[in-house]
């Protein structure tokens, strides 16, 4: 998360009280190098608890709304996406919260916000079409995507002249 995003995230309780629509998303390396919206939801749920000293300042339900309907509102698409309603596109995920790392849980929203990661996503449906089933991407070859991403990222790093700056301190080969 970028410094600006972290600063804004600390202001979430104040922004909510002022009626500001707060959306949540991911956009690459500034998202803690994961692009995992579920991990960003957890961060959004806990980052202000320490600064405000109020564990109830932004409940899990609010965070889930930030990642769904509020994001749709921010894009002006809340009449088409962002919630499961008749007449909207059938976009949703099914998350498996049966894993040991998710136990015990009493509130499914809290279980998703505080314990789930992208690895727990079992099914993804976009506009009524299943695109992930049993955690496997159905529409493209994941291995091909990974190889292409590795190749392209190396090209970008080299073009930027950062080849000697993005490695770790320890040898890994």
């Amino acid at each position: 998360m970028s410094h600006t995003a972290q600063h804004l995230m600390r202001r979430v309780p104040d922004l909510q009280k002022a009626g500001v629509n707060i959306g949540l998303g991911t956009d690459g390396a500034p998202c803690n190098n994961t692009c995992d919206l579920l991990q960003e939801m957890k961060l959004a749920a806990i980052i202000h608890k320490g600064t405000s000293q109020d564990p109830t300042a932004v409940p899990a339900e609010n965070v889930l709304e930030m990642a769904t309907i509020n994001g749709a509102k921010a894009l002006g698409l809340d009449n088409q996406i962002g919630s499961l309603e008749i007449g909207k596109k059938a976009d949703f995920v099914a998350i498996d919260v049966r894993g040991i790392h998710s136990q015990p849980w009493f509130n499914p929203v809290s279980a998703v916000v505080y314990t789930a990661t992208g690895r727990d996503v079992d099914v993804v449906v976009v506009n009524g079409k299943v695109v992930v089933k049993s955690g496997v991407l159905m529409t493209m070859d994941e291995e091909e995507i990974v190889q292409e991403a590795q190749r392209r990222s190396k090209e970008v790093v080299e073009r930027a002249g950062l080849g000697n700056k993005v490695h770790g301190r320890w040898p890994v080969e």
Side-chain angles (χ1 to χ4, degrees):
M1 186 177 286
S2 70
H3 176 71
T4 303
Q6 288 175 2
H7 176 70
L8 287 173
M9 193 54 68
R10 281 188 232 117
R11 303 276 327 269
V12 165
D14 295 334
L15 294 170
Q16 284 182 316
K17 288 176 188 168
V20 174
N21 180 53
I22 303 168
L24 189 60
T26 63
D27 63 355
C31 295
N32 303 308
N33 294 323
T34 69
C35 291
D36 186 332
L37 185 57
L38 292 162
Q39 288 188 37
E40 294 302 316
M41 287 169 50
K42 179 179 180 176
L43 184 58
I46 64 173
I47 198 167
H48 56 274
K49 292 182 186 317
T51 57
S52 71
Q53 300 296 305
D54 180 1
T56 65
V58 180
E61 290 81 2
N62 291 32
V63 173
L64 184 59
E65 289 171 347
M66 287 178 205
T68 56
I69 192 64
N70 291 4
K73 284 178 188 172
L75 296 171
L77 298 173
D78 53 311
N79 63 334
Q80 298 173 41
I81 61 172
S83 60
L84 291 175
E85 297 180 53
I86 294 172
K88 289 188 175 186
K89 294 181 180 183
D91 295 347
F92 63 90
V93 298
I95 298 170
D96 187 347
V97 292
R98 296 175 295 178
I100 192 74
H101 64 283
S102 298
Q103 302 308 316
W105 62 269
F106 304 97
N107 175 330
V109 176
S110 289
V112 168
V113 169
Y114 291 106
T115 68
T117 71
R119 292 178 194 95
D120 298 312
V121 173
D122 187 52
V123 174
V124 176
V125 176
V126 177
N127 200 18
K129 180 181 177 186
V130 176
V131 297
V132 173
K133 184 177 180 182
S134 300
V136 177
L137 183 62
M138 307 300 290
T139 57
M140 293 187 263
D141 182 333
E142 288 186 31
E143 182 60 33
E144 186 178 303
I145 293 167
V146 168
Q147 289 175 2
E148 180 77 5
Q150 288 173 343
R151 185 177 66 80
R152 298 256 181 191
S153 64
K154 287 177 185 174
E155 290 174 3
V156 168
V157 167
E158 290 306 316
R159 279 198 315 265
L162 299 173
N164 62 346
K165 295 185 180 183
V166 295
H167 57 80
R169 292 186 348 210
W170 300 338
V172 292
E173 292 186 53

